[in-house]
mmCIF file of all heavy atoms in Angstrom:
data_model
loop_
_atom_site.group_PDB
_atom_site.id
_atom_site.type_symbol
_atom_site.label_atom_id
_atom_site.label_comp_id
_atom_site.label_asym_id
_atom_site.label_seq_id
_atom_site.Cartn_x
_atom_site.Cartn_y
_atom_site.Cartn_z
ATOM 1 N N SER A 191 8.180 10.351 -6.077
ATOM 2 C CA SER A 191 7.533 11.534 -5.557
ATOM 3 C C SER A 191 8.309 12.775 -6.076
ATOM 4 O O SER A 191 9.008 13.494 -5.303
ATOM 5 C CB SER A 191 7.381 11.583 -4.051
ATOM 6 O OG SER A 191 6.668 10.475 -3.586
ATOM 7 N N PRO A 192 8.298 13.066 -7.393
ATOM 8 C CA PRO A 192 9.001 14.243 -7.920
ATOM 9 C C PRO A 192 8.412 15.563 -7.456
ATOM 10 O O PRO A 192 7.205 15.688 -7.399
ATOM 11 C CB PRO A 192 8.821 14.048 -9.421
ATOM 12 C CG PRO A 192 7.611 13.246 -9.609
ATOM 13 C CD PRO A 192 7.486 12.312 -8.442
ATOM 14 N N VAL A 193 9.250 16.473 -7.110
ATOM 15 C CA VAL A 193 8.831 17.826 -6.703
ATOM 16 C C VAL A 193 8.624 18.590 -7.970
ATOM 17 O O VAL A 193 9.554 18.839 -8.768
ATOM 18 C CB VAL A 193 9.901 18.453 -5.813
ATOM 19 C CG1 VAL A 193 9.514 19.971 -5.534
ATOM 20 C CG2 VAL A 193 10.035 17.756 -4.494
ATOM 21 N N ASP A 194 7.366 19.070 -8.147
ATOM 22 C CA ASP A 194 7.041 19.847 -9.367
ATOM 23 C C ASP A 194 7.411 21.335 -9.154
ATOM 24 O O ASP A 194 7.729 22.002 -10.150
ATOM 25 C CB ASP A 194 5.550 19.742 -9.634
ATOM 26 C CG ASP A 194 5.125 18.284 -9.768
ATOM 27 O OD1 ASP A 194 5.802 17.520 -10.482
ATOM 28 O OD2 ASP A 194 4.035 17.946 -9.258
ATOM 29 N N GLU A 195 7.283 21.784 -7.966
ATOM 30 C CA GLU A 195 7.490 23.268 -7.752
ATOM 31 C C GLU A 195 7.878 23.482 -6.309
ATOM 32 O O GLU A 195 7.402 22.819 -5.348
ATOM 33 C CB GLU A 195 6.170 23.956 -8.007
ATOM 34 C CG GLU A 195 6.314 25.543 -8.040
ATOM 35 C CD GLU A 195 5.018 26.213 -8.288
ATOM 36 O OE1 GLU A 195 3.977 25.532 -8.613
ATOM 37 O OE2 GLU A 195 4.962 27.419 -8.217
ATOM 38 N N ILE A 196 8.816 24.462 -6.121
ATOM 39 C CA ILE A 196 9.197 24.924 -4.800
ATOM 40 C C ILE A 196 8.451 26.220 -4.530
ATOM 41 O O ILE A 196 8.501 27.125 -5.346
ATOM 42 C CB ILE A 196 10.697 25.180 -4.702
ATOM 43 C CG1 ILE A 196 11.471 23.812 -4.852
ATOM 44 C CG2 ILE A 196 11.133 25.846 -3.426
ATOM 45 C CD1 ILE A 196 12.938 23.922 -5.060
ATOM 46 N N LEU A 197 7.690 26.238 -3.431
ATOM 47 C CA LEU A 197 6.828 27.387 -3.114
ATOM 48 C C LEU A 197 7.438 28.306 -2.113
ATOM 49 O O LEU A 197 8.120 27.902 -1.145
ATOM 50 C CB LEU A 197 5.545 26.844 -2.537
ATOM 51 C CG LEU A 197 4.830 25.794 -3.436
ATOM 52 C CD1 LEU A 197 3.559 25.197 -2.681
ATOM 53 C CD2 LEU A 197 4.336 26.368 -4.766
ATOM 54 N N THR A 198 7.258 29.598 -2.325
ATOM 55 C CA THR A 198 7.824 30.554 -1.416
ATOM 56 C C THR A 198 6.745 31.661 -1.079
ATOM 57 O O THR A 198 5.750 31.831 -1.793
ATOM 58 C CB THR A 198 8.978 31.341 -2.119
ATOM 59 O OG1 THR A 198 8.511 32.011 -3.201
ATOM 60 C CG2 THR A 198 10.150 30.380 -2.426
ATOM 61 N N LYS A 199 6.955 32.279 0.010
ATOM 62 C CA LYS A 199 6.024 33.471 0.429
ATOM 63 C C LYS A 199 6.950 34.520 1.114
ATOM 64 O O LYS A 199 7.699 34.137 2.041
ATOM 65 C CB LYS A 199 4.971 32.931 1.389
ATOM 66 C CG LYS A 199 3.917 33.996 1.769
ATOM 67 C CD LYS A 199 2.864 33.431 2.618
ATOM 68 C CE LYS A 199 1.840 34.547 2.953
ATOM 69 N NZ LYS A 199 0.738 33.988 3.821
ATOM 70 N N ASP A 200 6.883 35.698 0.630
ATOM 71 C CA ASP A 200 7.660 36.827 1.249
ATOM 72 C C ASP A 200 9.155 36.456 1.226
ATOM 73 O O ASP A 200 9.837 36.734 2.228
ATOM 74 C CB ASP A 200 7.198 37.181 2.613
ATOM 75 C CG ASP A 200 5.752 37.647 2.619
ATOM 76 O OD1 ASP A 200 5.370 38.276 1.663
ATOM 77 O OD2 ASP A 200 5.073 37.355 3.634
ATOM 78 N N GLY A 201 9.651 35.848 0.142
ATOM 79 C CA GLY A 201 11.092 35.509 0.089
ATOM 80 C C GLY A 201 11.600 34.384 0.959
ATOM 81 O O GLY A 201 12.727 34.268 1.212
ATOM 82 N N LYS A 202 10.597 33.561 1.401
ATOM 83 C CA LYS A 202 10.921 32.454 2.354
ATOM 84 C C LYS A 202 10.218 31.211 1.863
ATOM 85 O O LYS A 202 9.124 31.247 1.282
ATOM 86 C CB LYS A 202 10.428 32.913 3.741
ATOM 87 C CG LYS A 202 10.750 31.895 4.839
ATOM 88 C CD LYS A 202 10.239 32.440 6.186
ATOM 89 C CE LYS A 202 10.537 31.556 7.303
ATOM 90 N NZ LYS A 202 10.061 32.087 8.616
ATOM 91 N N ILE A 203 10.858 30.085 2.120
ATOM 92 C CA ILE A 203 10.269 28.780 1.770
ATOM 93 C C ILE A 203 8.873 28.563 2.464
ATOM 94 O O ILE A 203 8.833 28.833 3.682
ATOM 95 C CB ILE A 203 11.205 27.594 2.149
ATOM 96 C CG1 ILE A 203 12.381 27.581 1.146
ATOM 97 C CG2 ILE A 203 10.475 26.272 2.084
ATOM 98 C CD1 ILE A 203 12.036 27.213 -0.282
ATOM 99 N N SER A 204 7.866 28.192 1.663
ATOM 100 C CA SER A 204 6.540 27.890 2.280
ATOM 101 C C SER A 204 6.117 26.528 2.038
ATOM 102 O O SER A 204 5.144 26.073 2.686
ATOM 103 C CB SER A 204 5.559 28.933 1.829
ATOM 104 O OG SER A 204 5.325 28.796 0.378
ATOM 105 N N GLY A 205 6.725 25.832 1.048
ATOM 106 C CA GLY A 205 6.197 24.470 0.761
ATOM 107 C C GLY A 205 6.791 23.969 -0.554
ATOM 108 O O GLY A 205 7.546 24.610 -1.243
ATOM 109 N N VAL A 206 6.297 22.799 -0.978
ATOM 110 C CA VAL A 206 6.529 22.192 -2.218
ATOM 111 C C VAL A 206 5.280 21.547 -2.907
ATOM 112 O O VAL A 206 4.338 21.281 -2.130
ATOM 113 C CB VAL A 206 7.659 21.033 -2.197
ATOM 114 C CG1 VAL A 206 8.978 21.691 -1.666
ATOM 115 C CG2 VAL A 206 7.156 19.894 -1.271
#
Side-chain angles (χ1 to χ4, degrees):
S191 301
V193 172
D194 304 318
E195 188 180 355
I196 294 168
L197 306 173
T198 62
K199 185 178 180 180
D200 298 327
K202 184 178 179 180
I203 288 294
S204 63
V206 296

